[in-house]
């Protein structure tokens, strides 16, 4: 890191200045003291001949969180509640920035510390455990995420009953985790249980109730009940549009899910239309380099490829891969999935050299994250063999 200043520059002020303000010149310098901590210095010549110097320090959210944690650790100790809170806040910052592995390490530290100091059932402990579970799920560690989520659900039920909103939130996550682990019938049962409770407690038009209907549609889709799933996704999207607005994240999620089912039914034109609408809103509201935008673009690219628009599909998937790599890192599951999708596209186009190179990167990433014996790694190796041997 560069700690030096960029140099002094002089700028003549135009017009007459009030007494005590800049009379003739402004000098400036800036630089970086440490990673994430920058400074700027300005010097103004005043009317009385005494220079006025102003020094301004700026810290990024990560640098501020690291400084706070370091100070708390030094002054309070490693298990003090203030230290654990500072660690939790740094983990949140890191997670948002895409530093997933370091964030998970910090979440584990917070969970262990809060369990020891506050107890397993304390609200702060459960909040940290829930965040850790969501992070692990995002990184593909679904079995551990389910174990943690089940513990959180049990603690909420013990403290407040099965119909408590926090208990229902945990049960809904268990349904999604069961679905991700190919236990669709169990996921449907859990989703129906959550939906019935939320309709009774919150009402049919509540956001969480709509989310439960969306989860149920996902379980139906996973069991091949595409007509039922498409109808339910469409109803959720229409209700969310009416109650929350068409740009609400739940509206967009349900509409994208409906598009996925339409693609599975071979209704490519409808699927493309819905996905393009979702992408347009994501780009407008969250920006082109946001994770949600990239996810929508990835889905659109897959549909475009299915409709034969291979040039547009491949170009879009390259954009997605580059975006995920920048935001999340090259080993993040979302990045690797985009890599795998691009490999499939290039292979079908006859570009075996690039497809093989991408497949090798996928295998290496899965080996690092999940280990050589994981089924996902084995599947990646099988795909690599298919490309190398010229199959597909």
């Amino acid at each position: 890191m560069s700690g030096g200043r960029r140099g002094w520059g002089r700028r003549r002020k135009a017009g007459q200045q009030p007494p005590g303000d800049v009379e003739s010149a402004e000098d400036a310098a800036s630089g970086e003291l440490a990673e994430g901590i920058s400074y700027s210095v300005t010097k103004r010549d005043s009317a009385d001949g005494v220079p006025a110097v102003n020094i301004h320090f700026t810290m990024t959210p990560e640098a501020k969180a690291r400084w706070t944690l370091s100070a708390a650790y030094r002054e309070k100790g490693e298990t003090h509640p203030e230290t654990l809170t500072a660690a939790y806040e740094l983990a949140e910052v890191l997670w948002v920035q895409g530093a997933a592995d370091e964030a998970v390490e910090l979440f584990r530290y917070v969970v262990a510390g809060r369990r020891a100091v506050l107890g397993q059932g304390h609200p702060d402990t459960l909040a940290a455990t829930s965040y850790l579970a969501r992070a692990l799920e995002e990184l593909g560690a679904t079995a551990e995420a389910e174990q943690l989520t089940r513990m959180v659900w049990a603690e909420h039920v013990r403290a407040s009953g099965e119909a408590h909103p926090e208990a229902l939130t945990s049960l809904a996550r268990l349904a999604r985790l069961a679905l991700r682990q190919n236990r669709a019938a169990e996921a449907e049962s859990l989703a129906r249980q959550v939906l019935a409770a939320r309709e009774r407690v919150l009402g049919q038009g509540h956001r969480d109730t709509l989310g439960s209907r969306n989860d149920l549609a996902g379980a139906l889709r996973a069991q091949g009940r595409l007509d039922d799933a498409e109808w339910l996704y469409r109803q959720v999207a229409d209700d969310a549009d009416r109650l929350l607005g068409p740009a609400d994240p739940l509206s967009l999620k349900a509409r994208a899910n409906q598009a996925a089912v339409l693609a599975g039914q071979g209704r490519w034109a409808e699927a493309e239309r819905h996905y393009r609408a979702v992408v347009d809103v994501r780009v407008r509201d969250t920006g082109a380099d946001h994770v949600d935008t990239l996810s929508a673009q990835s889905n659109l690219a897959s549909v475009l490829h299915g409709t034969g628009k291979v040039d547009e599909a491949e170009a879009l998937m390259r954009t997605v891969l580059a975006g995920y790599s920048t935001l999340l890192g090259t080993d993040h599951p979302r990045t690797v999935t985009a890599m795998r999708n691009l490999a499939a596209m290039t292979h079908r186009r006859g570009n075996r050299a690039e497809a093989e190179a991408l497949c090798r990167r996928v295998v290496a990433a899965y080996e690092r994250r999940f280990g050589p014996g994981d089924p996902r790694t084995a599947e990646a190796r099988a795909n690599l063999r298919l490309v190398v041997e010229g199959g597909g």
Side-chain angles (χ1 to χ4, degrees), residues 214-392:
N214 187 75
D215 290 343
L216 175 58
L220 298 175
R221 173 190 173 195
Q223 296 176 81
R225 295 155 64 180
L226 297 186
D227 290 341
D228 292 338
E230 192 275 329
W231 179 86
L232 189 51
Y233 277 138
R234 177 158 38 87
Q235 292 300 314
V236 173
D238 289 345
D239 287 347
D241 284 353
R242 176 173 52 85
L243 296 170
L244 306 174
D248 186 86
L250 181 57
S251 301
L252 296 173
K253 182 179 181 180
R255 196 65 72 189
N257 287 336
Q258 181 194 3
V261 176
L262 291 170
Q265 294 175 313
R267 297 158 64 180
W268 297 105
E270 293 176 79
E272 179 182 343
R273 176 169 55 84
H274 285 313
Y275 272 138
R276 286 193 185 278
V278 171
V279 168
D280 288 344
V281 175
R282 291 292 192 192
V283 170
R284 185 194 69 207
D285 290 354
T286 61
D289 58 350
H290 192 278
V291 169
D292 291 339
T293 302
L294 296 172
S295 177
Q297 289 175 325
S298 177
N299 292 330
L300 174 59
S302 296
V303 168
L304 291 172
H305 196 265
T307 62
K309 300 176 181 178
V310 292
D311 291 335
E312 185 180 0
E314 186 176 319
L316 191 55
M317 192 59 72
R318 291 185 188 280
T319 297
V320 171
L321 176 56
Y324 277 147
S325 298
T326 300
L327 289 175
L328 305 175
T330 56
D331 275 7
H332 192 280
R334 288 178 184 259
T335 308
V336 180
T337 296
M339 203 180 299
R340 188 180 64 201
N341 291 339
L342 181 59
M345 290 179 180
T346 55
H347 182 229
R348 292 182 187 125
R349 294 252 284 180
N351 189 349
R352 285 179 55 189
E354 184 178 7
E356 179 180 344
L358 288 167
C359 284
R360 291 190 183 281
R361 290 171 62 189
V362 171
V363 170
Y366 278 166
E367 286 181 342
R368 284 191 295 270
R369 182 163 295 281
F370 302 123
D374 189 272
R376 288 162 288 195
T377 308
E379 182 183 1
R381 286 203 200 92
N383 291 336
L384 174 60
R385 284 195 299 271
L386 187 69
V387 171
V388 171
E389 294 168 3

Side-chain angles (χ1 to χ4, degrees), residues 5-340:
R5 62 192 184 191
R6 289 202 296 258
W8 295 99
R10 299 184 66 84
R11 179 163 57 91
R12 178 67 57 184
K13 306 294 288 185
Q16 187 173 355
Q17 302 295 327
D21 280 5
V22 176
E23 184 179 70
S24 60
E26 177 183 306
D27 292 338
S30 62
E32 193 170 36
L33 295 174
E35 186 172 359
I37 305 175
S38 59
Y39 71 90
S40 63
V41 182
T42 58
K43 185 180 71 172
R44 299 169 183 268
D45 295 334
S46 58
D48 59 7
V50 178
V53 178
N54 183 49
I55 303 175
H56 181 72
F57 293 94
T58 303
M59 301 176 72
T60 65
E62 179 184 343
K64 183 178 180 180
R66 289 188 183 279
W67 183 88
T68 302
L69 174 57
S70 178
Y73 189 97
R74 183 175 61 253
E75 297 170 9
K76 305 289 186 178
E78 64 178 325
T79 59
H80 191 278
E82 290 185 21
T83 305
L84 297 173
T85 297
Y88 184 86
E89 292 172 352
L90 174 58
E92 287 183 306
V93 171
L94 292 171
W95 181 257
V96 170
Q97 293 180 170
D101 291 321
E102 187 179 359
V104 165
E105 182 181 352
L106 275 170
F107 281 132
R108 289 190 189 280
Y109 164 72
V110 174
V111 169
R114 286 181 173 175
R115 282 179 179 173
V117 175
L118 304 174
Q120 178 170 284
H122 191 279
D124 290 347
T125 306
L126 296 178
T129 306
S130 294
Y131 211 137
L132 172 59
R134 295 198 302 273
L136 289 169
E137 179 186 359
E138 172 74 10
L139 295 177
T142 51
E144 184 180 1
E146 181 180 4
Q147 179 185 10
L148 292 170
T149 303
R150 195 171 296 280
M151 184 275 291
V152 171
W153 171 76
E155 289 292 339
H156 283 309
V157 169
R158 181 185 61 81
S160 307
E162 292 184 351
H164 190 273
E166 292 292 346
L168 292 175
T169 295
S170 296
L171 194 61
R173 288 176 183 151
L174 286 173
R176 290 192 288 272
L177 285 162
L179 186 61
R180 287 199 60 178
Q181 296 175 88
N182 301 315
R183 306 197 314 263
E186 178 186 349
E188 180 187 351
S189 176
L190 292 173
R192 289 189 183 279
Q193 182 179 340
V194 175
L195 176 58
R198 283 178 167 169
E199 285 181 336
R200 184 176 66 253
V201 175
L202 303 175
Q204 293 190 349
H206 192 278
R207 171 188 293 276
D208 290 345
T209 306
L210 294 175
S212 291
R213 289 166 58 194
N214 187 75
D215 290 343
L216 175 58
L220 298 175
R221 173 190 173 195
Q223 296 176 81
R225 295 155 64 180
L226 297 186
D227 290 341
D228 292 338
E230 192 275 329
W231 179 86
L232 189 51
Y233 277 138
R234 177 158 38 87
Q235 292 300 314
V236 173
D238 289 345
D239 287 347
D241 284 353
R242 176 173 52 85
L243 296 170
L244 306 174
D248 186 86
L250 181 57
S251 301
L252 296 173
K253 182 179 181 180
R255 196 65 72 189
N257 287 336
Q258 181 194 3
V261 176
L262 291 170
Q265 294 175 313
R267 297 158 64 180
W268 297 105
E270 293 176 79
E272 179 182 343
R273 176 169 55 84
H274 285 313
Y275 272 138
R276 286 193 185 278
V278 171
V279 168
D280 288 344
V281 175
R282 291 292 192 192
V283 170
R284 185 194 69 207
D285 290 354
T286 61
D289 58 350
H290 192 278
V291 169
D292 291 339
T293 302
L294 296 172
S295 177
Q297 289 175 325
S298 177
N299 292 330
L300 174 59
S302 296
V303 168
L304 291 172
H305 196 265
T307 62
K309 300 176 181 178
V310 292
D311 291 335
E312 185 180 0
E314 186 176 319
L316 191 55
M317 192 59 72
R318 291 185 188 280
T319 297
V320 171
L321 176 56
Y324 277 147
S325 298
T326 300
L327 289 175
L328 305 175
T330 56
D331 275 7
H332 192 280
R334 288 178 184 259
T335 308
V336 180
T337 296
M339 203 180 299
R340 188 180 64 201

